[in-house]
Coordinates of all heavy atoms in Angstrom, one line a residue:
L1 N -12.5 -2.4 -5.4 CA -11.3 -3.3 -5.8 C -10.5 -3.5 -4.6 O -9.7 -4.5 -4.5 CB -10.4 -2.5 -6.9 CG -11.1 -2.5 -8.2 CD1 -10.2 -1.7 -9.2 CD2 -11.3 -3.9 -8.8
N2 N -10.5 -2.6 -3.6 CA -9.6 -2.7 -2.4 C -10.0 -4.0 -1.7 O -9.2 -4.7 -1.2 CB -9.8 -1.6 -1.5 CG -8.8 -0.5 -1.7 OD1 -7.7 -0.8 -2.1 ND2 -9.1 0.6 -1.5
N3 N -11.4 -4.3 -1.6 CA -11.8 -5.6 -1.0 C -11.3 -6.9 -1.7 O -10.8 -7.8 -1.1 CB -13.4 -5.7 -0.9 CG -13.8 -4.6 0.1 OD1 -13.2 -4.2 1.0 ND2 -15.1 -4.2 0.0
V4 N -11.3 -6.8 -3.0 CA -10.8 -7.9 -3.8 C -9.2 -8.1 -3.5 O -8.9 -9.2 -3.2 CB -11.0 -7.7 -5.3 CG1 -10.3 -8.7 -6.1 CG2 -12.5 -7.6 -5.6
A5 N -8.6 -7.0 -3.6 CA -7.1 -7.0 -3.4 C -6.8 -7.5 -2.0 O -5.9 -8.3 -1.7 CB -6.5 -5.7 -3.6
S6 N -7.5 -7.1 -0.9 CA -7.3 -7.4 0.4 C -7.5 -8.8 0.7 O -6.8 -9.5 1.3 CB -8.1 -6.5 1.4 OG -7.8 -6.9 2.7
S7 N -8.6 -9.3 0.0 CA -8.9 -10.8 0.1 C -7.8 -11.6 -0.5 O -7.4 -12.6 0.1 CB -10.2 -11.0 -0.6 OG -10.5 -12.4 -0.6
R8 N -7.3 -11.3 -1.6 CA -6.2 -12.0 -2.2 C -4.9 -12.0 -1.3 O -4.3 -13.0 -1.2 CB -6.0 -11.6 -3.6 CG -7.2 -11.8 -4.5 CD -7.0 -11.5 -5.9 NE -8.1 -11.8 -6.7 CZ -8.4 -11.4 -7.9 NH1 -7.6 -10.7 -8.6 NH2 -9.5 -11.8 -8.5
A9 N -4.6 -10.8 -0.9 CA -3.4 -10.7 0.0 C -3.6 -11.5 1.3 O -2.7 -12.2 1.6 CB -3.2 -9.3 0.3
S10 N -4.7 -11.6 1.8 CA -4.9 -12.4 3.0 C -4.8 -13.8 2.8 O -4.6 -14.6 3.8 CB -6.3 -12.0 3.7 OG -7.4 -12.4 3.0
R11 N -5.0 -14.3 1.6 CA -5.0 -15.7 1.3 C -3.5 -16.1 0.7 O -3.4 -17.1 0.1 CB -6.1 -16.0 0.3 CG -7.4 -16.0 0.9 CD -8.5 -16.5 0.0 NE -8.4 -15.8 -1.2 CZ -9.5 -15.5 -2.0 NH1 -10.6 -15.8 -1.6 NH2 -9.3 -14.8 -3.1
G12 N -2.6 -15.1 0.8 CA -1.2 -15.4 0.4 C -1.0 -15.1 -1.1 O -0.1 -15.7 -1.6
R13 N -1.9 -14.5 -1.7 CA -1.8 -14.2 -3.2 C -1.4 -12.8 -3.4 O -2.0 -12.0 -4.0 CB -3.1 -14.5 -3.8 CG -3.4 -16.0 -3.6 CD -4.8 -16.4 -3.9 NE -5.4 -16.1 -5.2 CZ -6.7 -16.2 -5.5 NH1 -7.5 -16.8 -4.7 NH2 -7.1 -15.8 -6.7
A14 N -0.1 -12.4 -2.8 CA 0.3 -11.0 -2.9 C 0.5 -10.5 -4.3 O 0.2 -9.3 -4.6 CB 1.6 -10.9 -2.1
A15 N 1.0 -11.3 -5.2 CA 1.2 -10.8 -6.6 C -0.1 -10.5 -7.2 O -0.2 -9.5 -7.9 CB 1.9 -11.9 -7.4
E16 N -1.2 -11.2 -7.0 CA -2.5 -10.9 -7.5 C -3.0 -9.6 -6.8 O -3.7 -8.8 -7.6 CB -3.4 -12.1 -7.3 CG -3.2 -13.3 -8.1 CD -4.1 -14.5 -7.9 OE1 -5.3 -14.2 -7.5 OE2 -3.6 -15.6 -8.1
A17 N -2.8 -9.5 -5.6 CA -3.3 -8.3 -4.8 C -2.6 -7.1 -5.4 O -3.2 -6.1 -5.6 CB -3.0 -8.5 -3.3
E18 N -1.2 -7.3 -5.6 CA -0.5 -6.1 -6.3 C -1.1 -5.6 -7.6 O -1.4 -4.5 -7.7 CB 0.9 -6.5 -6.5 CG 1.7 -5.5 -7.2 CD 3.0 -5.9 -7.8 OE1 3.4 -7.0 -7.5 OE2 3.6 -5.1 -8.5
T19 N -1.5 -6.6 -8.4 CA -2.2 -6.3 -9.7 C -3.5 -5.5 -9.5 O -3.7 -4.5 -10.2 CB -2.5 -7.5 -10.5 OG1 -1.1 -8.2 -10.8 CG2 -3.1 -7.2 -11.8
V20 N -4.3 -6.0 -8.6 CA -5.6 -5.3 -8.3 C -5.4 -3.9 -7.7 O -6.0 -2.9 -8.2 CB -6.5 -6.1 -7.4 CG1 -7.8 -5.4 -7.0 CG2 -6.8 -7.4 -8.1
Y21 N -4.4 -3.8 -6.8 CA -4.2 -2.4 -6.2 C -3.7 -1.5 -7.3 O -4.1 -0.3 -7.4 CB -3.1 -2.5 -5.1 CG -3.6 -3.1 -3.8 CD1 -3.1 -4.2 -3.2 CD2 -4.8 -2.4 -3.2 CE1 -3.6 -4.6 -2.0 CE2 -5.3 -2.8 -2.0 CZ -4.6 -3.9 -1.4 OH -5.2 -4.5 -0.2
R22 N -2.7 -1.9 -8.2 CA -2.3 -1.1 -9.3 C -3.5 -0.7 -10.2 O -3.5 0.5 -10.8 CB -1.2 -1.8 -10.0 CG 0.1 -1.9 -9.2 CD 1.3 -2.3 -10.0 NE 2.4 -2.5 -9.3 CZ 3.3 -1.6 -8.9 NH1 3.0 -0.3 -9.2 NH2 4.4 -1.9 -8.2
E23 N -4.4 -1.6 -10.5 CA -5.5 -1.3 -11.3 C -6.3 -0.1 -10.7 O -6.8 0.8 -11.3 CB -6.4 -2.5 -11.5 CG -7.6 -2.3 -12.4 CD -8.4 -3.5 -12.5 OE1 -7.9 -4.6 -12.4 OE2 -9.7 -3.4 -12.8
D24 N -6.6 -0.2 -9.4 CA -7.4 0.8 -8.7 C -6.6 2.2 -8.7 O -7.2 3.2 -8.9 CB -7.5 0.3 -7.2 CG -8.5 1.3 -6.4 OD1 -9.7 1.5 -6.9 OD2 -8.0 2.0 -5.5
L25 N -5.2 2.1 -8.4 CA -4.5 3.3 -8.5 C -4.4 3.9 -9.8 O -4.3 5.2 -9.9 CB -3.0 3.1 -8.0 CG -3.0 2.8 -6.4 CD1 -1.7 2.1 -6.1 CD2 -3.3 4.0 -5.7
A26 N -4.6 3.2 -10.9 CA -4.7 3.7 -12.3 C -5.9 4.7 -12.4 O -5.8 5.6 -13.1 CB -4.6 2.7 -13.3
H27 N -7.0 4.3 -11.6 CA -8.1 5.1 -11.7 C -8.2 6.2 -10.6 O -8.7 7.3 -10.8 CB -9.4 4.2 -11.6 CG -9.5 3.3 -12.7 ND1 -9.9 3.6 -13.9 CD2 -9.3 1.9 -12.8 CE1 -10.0 2.6 -14.7 NE2 -9.6 1.5 -14.0
Y28 N -7.6 5.9 -9.5 CA -7.6 6.8 -8.3 C -6.2 6.8 -7.7 O -6.0 6.3 -6.6 CB -8.6 6.2 -7.2 CG -10.0 5.9 -7.8 CD1 -10.4 4.7 -8.1 CD2 -10.9 7.0 -8.0 CE1 -11.6 4.4 -8.7 CE2 -12.2 6.8 -8.5 CZ -12.5 5.4 -8.9 OH -13.7 5.2 -9.4
P29 N -5.4 7.6 -8.3 CA -4.0 7.6 -7.9 C -3.8 8.2 -6.5 O -2.7 8.0 -5.9 CB -3.3 8.5 -8.9 CG -4.4 9.2 -9.6 CD -5.6 8.4 -9.5
E30 N -4.7 8.9 -6.0 CA -4.6 9.5 -4.6 C -5.1 8.6 -3.5 O -5.1 8.9 -2.3 CB -5.4 10.8 -4.5 CG -4.9 11.8 -5.5 CD -3.6 12.4 -5.3 OE1 -3.4 12.7 -4.2 OE2 -2.9 12.6 -6.3
N31 N -5.6 7.3 -3.8 CA -6.2 6.5 -2.8 C -5.2 5.9 -1.9 O -4.4 5.0 -2.2 CB -6.9 5.4 -3.6 CG -7.7 4.5 -2.7 OD1 -7.3 4.3 -1.5 ND2 -8.8 3.9 -3.2
G32 N -5.2 6.4 -0.7 CA -4.2 6.1 0.4 C -4.3 4.6 0.7 O -3.3 4.0 1.0
W33 N -5.5 4.1 0.7 CA -5.7 2.7 1.2 C -5.1 1.8 0.1 O -4.5 0.7 0.4 CB -7.2 2.4 1.4 CG -7.7 3.0 2.7 CD1 -8.5 4.1 2.8 CD2 -7.3 2.7 4.1 NE1 -8.8 4.4 4.2 CE2 -8.0 3.5 4.9 CE3 -6.4 1.7 4.6 CZ2 -7.8 3.5 6.2 CZ3 -6.2 1.7 6.0 CH2 -6.9 2.5 6.8
S34 N -5.3 2.1 -1.2 CA -4.7 1.3 -2.2 C -3.1 1.5 -2.2 O -2.5 0.4 -2.4 CB -5.2 1.7 -3.6 OG -6.6 1.3 -3.7
L35 N -2.7 2.6 -1.9 CA -1.2 2.7 -1.8 C -0.7 1.8 -0.6 O 0.4 1.2 -0.8 CB -0.8 4.1 -1.7 CG -1.0 5.1 -2.8 CD1 -0.9 6.6 -2.5 CD2 0.1 4.7 -3.8
Y36 N -1.4 2.0 0.5 CA -1.0 1.2 1.6 C -1.0 -0.3 1.3 O -0.1 -1.1 1.6 CB -1.9 1.5 2.8 CG -1.6 0.6 4.0 CD1 -0.5 0.8 4.8 CD2 -2.3 -0.6 4.2 CE1 -0.2 0.1 5.9 CE2 -2.1 -1.3 5.3 CZ -1.0 -1.1 6.2 OH -0.7 -1.9 7.2
G37 N -2.2 -0.7 0.7 CA -2.2 -2.1 0.3 C -1.1 -2.6 -0.7 O -0.6 -3.7 -0.6
L38 N -0.9 -1.8 -1.7 CA 0.2 -2.0 -2.6 C 1.5 -2.2 -1.8 O 2.3 -3.1 -2.1 CB 0.3 -0.9 -3.6 CG 1.5 -1.1 -4.6 CD1 1.4 -2.3 -5.5 CD2 1.5 0.2 -5.5
S39 N 1.7 -1.3 -0.9 CA 3.0 -1.5 -0.1 C 3.1 -2.8 0.6 O 4.1 -3.5 0.6 CB 3.0 -0.4 1.0 OG 2.8 0.9 0.4
Q40 N 1.9 -3.2 1.2 CA 1.9 -4.4 1.9 C 2.1 -5.7 1.0 O 2.9 -6.5 1.2 CB 0.5 -4.6 2.5 CG 0.2 -3.7 3.7 CD 1.1 -4.2 5.0 OE1 2.2 -3.8 5.2 NE2 0.6 -5.1 5.7
A41 N 1.5 -5.6 -0.2 CA 1.7 -6.6 -1.2 C 3.1 -6.7 -1.7 O 3.7 -7.8 -1.9 CB 0.7 -6.5 -2.4
L42 N 3.8 -5.6 -1.9 CA 5.1 -5.6 -2.3 C 6.0 -6.1 -1.2 O 6.9 -7.0 -1.6 CB 5.6 -4.2 -2.7 CG 4.9 -3.6 -3.9 CD1 5.1 -2.2 -4.1 CD2 5.4 -4.4 -5.2
A43 N 5.8 -5.8 0.0 CA 6.6 -6.2 1.1 C 6.5 -7.8 1.3 O 7.5 -8.4 1.5 CB 6.2 -5.5 2.4
K44 N 5.3 -8.3 1.1 CA 5.0 -9.7 1.2 C 5.8 -10.5 0.1 O 6.1 -11.7 0.3 CB 3.6 -10.1 1.2 CG 2.9 -9.7 2.4 CD 1.4 -10.0 2.4 CE 0.7 -9.6 3.7 NZ -0.7 -9.9 3.6
Q45 N 6.1 -9.8 -1.0 CA 6.9 -10.5 -2.1 C 8.3 -10.3 -2.0 O 9.1 -10.6 -2.9 CB 6.3 -9.9 -3.4 CG 4.9 -10.2 -3.8 CD 4.5 -9.5 -5.1 OE1 5.0 -10.0 -6.2 NE2 3.8 -8.5 -4.9
G46 N 8.8 -9.6 -0.9 CA 10.2 -9.4 -0.6 C 10.7 -8.2 -1.4 O 12.0 -8.0 -1.5
R47 N 9.9 -7.4 -1.9 CA 10.4 -6.3 -2.7 C 10.4 -5.0 -1.9 O 9.6 -4.1 -2.1 CB 9.4 -6.2 -3.9 CG 9.5 -7.3 -4.9 CD 8.4 -7.5 -5.8 NE 8.2 -6.4 -6.7 CZ 7.0 -6.2 -7.5 NH1 6.2 -7.2 -7.5 NH2 6.9 -5.2 -8.3
T48 N 11.3 -5.1 -1.0 CA 11.4 -4.1 0.1 C 11.5 -2.6 -0.4 O 10.9 -1.7 0.1 CB 12.5 -4.5 1.0 OG1 12.3 -5.8 1.4 CG2 12.6 -3.5 2.3
D49 N 12.4 -2.4 -1.4 CA 12.6 -1.0 -1.8 C 11.4 -0.5 -2.5 O 11.1 0.7 -2.3 CB 13.8 -1.0 -2.9 CG 15.2 -1.1 -2.2 OD1 15.2 -1.0 -0.9 OD2 16.1 -1.5 -2.9
E50 N 10.7 -1.2 -3.2 CA 9.5 -0.8 -3.8 C 8.4 -0.6 -2.8 O 7.6 0.4 -2.9 CB 9.0 -1.9 -4.9 CG 9.8 -2.0 -6.2 CD 9.4 -3.1 -7.0 OE1 8.5 -2.8 -7.8 OE2 9.9 -4.2 -6.8
A51 N 8.3 -1.5 -1.8 CA 7.4 -1.3 -0.7 C 7.6 0.0 0.0 O 6.7 0.7 0.3 CB 7.4 -2.5 0.2
R52 N 8.9 0.2 0.3 CA 9.3 1.4 1.1 C 8.8 2.7 0.3 O 8.3 3.6 0.8 CB 10.8 1.5 1.3 CG 11.3 2.5 2.2 CD 12.8 2.4 2.5 NE 13.1 1.2 3.2 CZ 13.9 0.2 2.8 NH1 14.4 0.3 1.5 NH2 14.1 -0.8 3.5
A53 N 9.1 2.7 -1.0 CA 8.6 3.9 -1.9 C 7.1 4.0 -1.9 O 6.6 5.1 -1.9 CB 9.1 3.7 -3.3
A54 N 6.4 2.8 -1.9 CA 5.0 3.0 -1.9 C 4.4 3.4 -0.6 O 3.4 4.3 -0.5 CB 4.3 1.7 -2.3
Y55 N 5.0 3.0 0.6 CA 4.6 3.6 1.9 C 4.9 5.0 1.9 O 4.1 5.8 2.4 CB 5.5 2.9 3.0 CG 5.0 1.5 3.4 CD1 5.8 0.4 3.5 CD2 3.7 1.3 3.7 CE1 5.4 -0.8 3.8 CE2 3.2 0.1 4.2 CZ 4.1 -1.0 4.2 OH 3.7 -2.2 4.7
K56 N 6.1 5.5 1.4 CA 6.3 6.9 1.5 C 5.3 7.7 0.6 O 4.8 8.8 1.1 CB 7.7 7.2 0.8 CG 8.8 6.8 1.7 CD 10.2 7.1 0.9 CE 11.3 6.4 1.6 NZ 12.6 6.7 0.9
L57 N 4.9 7.2 -0.6 CA 3.8 7.9 -1.3 C 2.5 7.9 -0.6 O 1.7 8.9 -0.5 CB 3.7 7.2 -2.7 CG 2.8 7.8 -3.7 CD1 3.3 9.4 -3.9 CD2 2.8 7.1 -5.0
A58 N 2.2 6.7 0.1 CA 0.8 6.7 0.9 C 0.9 7.7 2.0 O -0.1 8.4 2.2 CB 0.7 5.3 1.5
I59 N 2.1 7.9 2.6 CA 2.1 8.9 3.7 C 2.0 10.3 3.1 O 1.3 11.1 3.6 CB 3.5 8.8 4.4 CG1 3.5 7.5 5.2 CG2 3.8 9.9 5.4 CD1 4.9 7.1 5.7
E60 N 2.7 10.5 2.0 CA 2.5 11.9 1.3 C 1.2 12.2 0.9 O 0.7 13.3 1.1 CB 3.5 11.8 0.1 CG 3.5 13.1 -0.7 CD 4.3 12.9 -2.0 OE1 5.5 12.4 -1.8 OE2 3.8 13.2 -3.1
K61 N 0.4 11.2 0.5 CA -1.0 11.4 0.0 C -2.0 11.4 1.1 O -3.1 11.9 0.8 CB -1.4 10.4 -1.0 CG -0.4 10.3 -2.2 CD -0.6 11.5 -3.1 CE 0.3 11.4 -4.4 NZ 0.2 12.6 -5.2
S62 N -1.7 11.0 2.3 CA -2.7 10.9 3.4 C -2.8 12.2 4.2 O -1.9 13.1 4.2 CB -2.3 9.8 4.3 OG -1.2 10.0 5.0
D63 N -3.9 12.3 4.8 CA -4.2 13.5 5.7 C -3.2 13.3 6.9 O -3.2 12.2 7.5 CB -5.7 13.4 6.1 CG -6.1 14.6 7.0 OD1 -5.2 15.0 7.8 OD2 -7.2 15.0 6.8
P64 N -2.6 14.3 7.3 CA -1.6 14.2 8.5 C -2.3 13.8 9.7 O -1.7 13.2 10.7 CB -1.1 15.6 8.7 CG -1.3 16.3 7.3 CD -2.5 15.7 6.7
R65 N -3.7 14.0 9.9 CA -4.4 13.6 11.1 C -5.0 12.2 11.0 O -5.6 11.8 12.0 CB -5.5 14.6 11.3 CG -5.0 16.1 11.6 CD -6.1 17.1 11.3 NE -6.6 16.9 10.0 CZ -7.4 17.7 9.3 NH1 -7.9 18.7 10.0 NH2 -7.8 17.6 8.1
S66 N -4.9 11.6 9.8 CA -5.5 10.3 9.7 C -4.7 9.2 10.4 O -3.5 9.1 10.5 CB -5.4 10.0 8.2 OG -5.8 8.6 8.0
P67 N -5.4 8.3 11.1 CA -4.8 7.2 11.8 C -4.1 6.3 10.8 O -3.1 5.7 11.2 CB -5.9 6.5 12.4 CG -7.1 7.4 12.4 CD -6.8 8.3 11.4
M68 N -4.5 6.3 9.6 CA -3.8 5.4 8.6 C -2.4 6.0 8.3 O -1.5 5.2 8.2 CB -4.6 5.5 7.2 CG -3.9 4.5 6.2 SD -4.6 4.9 4.5 CE -3.4 6.0 4.0
R69 N -2.3 7.2 8.4 CA -0.9 7.8 8.3 C 0.0 7.4 9.3 O 1.1 6.8 8.9 CB -1.0 9.3 8.2 CG 0.4 9.9 7.9 CD 0.3 11.4 7.9 NE 1.6 12.0 7.6 CZ 1.7 12.9 6.7 NH1 0.8 13.5 6.1 NH2 3.0 13.4 6.5
S70 N -0.4 7.4 10.5 CA 0.4 6.9 11.6 C 0.7 5.4 11.5 O 1.9 5.0 11.7 CB -0.3 7.1 13.0 OG -0.5 8.5 13.2
F71 N -0.2 4.6 11.1 CA 0.0 3.2 11.0 C 1.0 3.0 9.8 O 1.9 2.1 9.9 CB -1.3 2.5 10.6 CG -1.3 1.0 10.8 CD1 -0.9 0.4 12.0 CD2 -1.5 0.2 9.6 CE1 -0.9 -1.0 12.0 CE2 -1.4 -1.0 9.7 CZ -1.1 -1.7 10.9
T72 N 0.8 3.7 8.7 CA 1.7 3.6 7.6 C 3.2 4.0 8.0 O 4.1 3.3 7.5 CB 1.2 4.5 6.4 OG1 -0.1 4.0 6.1 CG2 2.0 4.1 5.1
E73 N 3.3 5.0 8.8 CA 4.6 5.4 9.2 C 5.3 4.3 10.0 O 6.4 4.1 9.9 CB 4.5 6.7 10.0 CG 4.2 7.9 9.1 CD 3.9 9.2 9.9 OE1 3.5 9.0 11.0 OE2 4.0 10.3 9.3
L74 N 4.5 3.6 10.8 CA 5.0 2.5 11.6 C 5.5 1.4 10.7 O 6.5 0.8 10.9 CB 4.0 2.0 12.6 CG 3.7 2.8 13.7 CD1 2.5 2.3 14.6 CD2 4.9 2.9 14.6
K75 N 4.7 1.1 9.6 CA 5.1 -0.1 8.7 C 6.4 0.4 8.0 O 7.2 -0.4 7.8 CB 3.9 -0.3 7.7 CG 2.7 -0.9 8.3 CD 3.0 -2.3 8.7 CE 1.8 -3.2 9.1 NZ 2.1 -4.5 9.3
L76 N 6.5 1.7 7.6 CA 7.6 2.1 6.8 C 8.9 2.0 7.8 O 9.9 1.5 7.5 CB 7.5 3.6 6.4 CG 8.8 4.2 5.8 CD1 9.2 3.4 4.6 CD2 8.4 5.7 5.4
S77 N 8.7 2.4 9.0 CA 9.7 2.2 10.0 C 10.2 0.8 10.2 O 11.4 0.4 10.3 CB 9.4 2.8 11.4 OG 10.4 2.8 12.3
A78 N 9.3 -0.2 10.2 CA 9.6 -1.5 10.3 C 10.4 -2.1 9.1 O 11.2 -3.0 9.3 CB 8.3 -2.3 10.5
L79 N 10.3 -1.4 8.0 CA 11.0 -1.8 6.8 C 12.4 -1.1 6.7 O 13.1 -1.2 5.8 CB 10.3 -1.5 5.5 CG 9.2 -2.5 5.1 CD1 8.6 -2.0 3.8 CD2 9.7 -3.8 4.9
G80 N 12.7 -0.4 7.8 CA 14.0 0.3 7.9 C 13.9 1.8 7.6 O 14.9 2.4 7.3
G81 N 12.7 2.3 7.6 CA 12.5 3.7 7.4 C 12.8 4.2 6.0 O 12.7 3.6 5.0
A82 N 13.1 5.5 6.0 CA 13.3 6.2 4.8 C 14.5 5.7 3.9 O 14.4 5.7 2.7 CB 13.5 7.7 5.0
Q83 N 15.5 5.2 4.5 CA 16.7 4.8 3.7 C 16.9 5.5 2.5 O 16.7 5.2 1.4 CB 16.7 3.3 3.7 CG 16.9 2.7 5.0 CD 17.2 1.1 4.9 OE1 17.2 0.5 3.9 NE2 17.3 0.5 6.0

């Protein structure tokens, strides 16, 4: 599902990508990549507070040594951090 959602997001279909990421998270709530993708989809829709919360959850669920975690922290910071 991540590939489907990512494809939709890359074509400017953020709301559709959000739906697919949420579907994946319903089955795999710990999936950091889906949480990250959901964050991106929300941010692209201008839903900054929701995106920020999703980035925080992605960071919380990720391995501290994962490069994804560092990248997600940078994206959160770009949205204004923890606020």
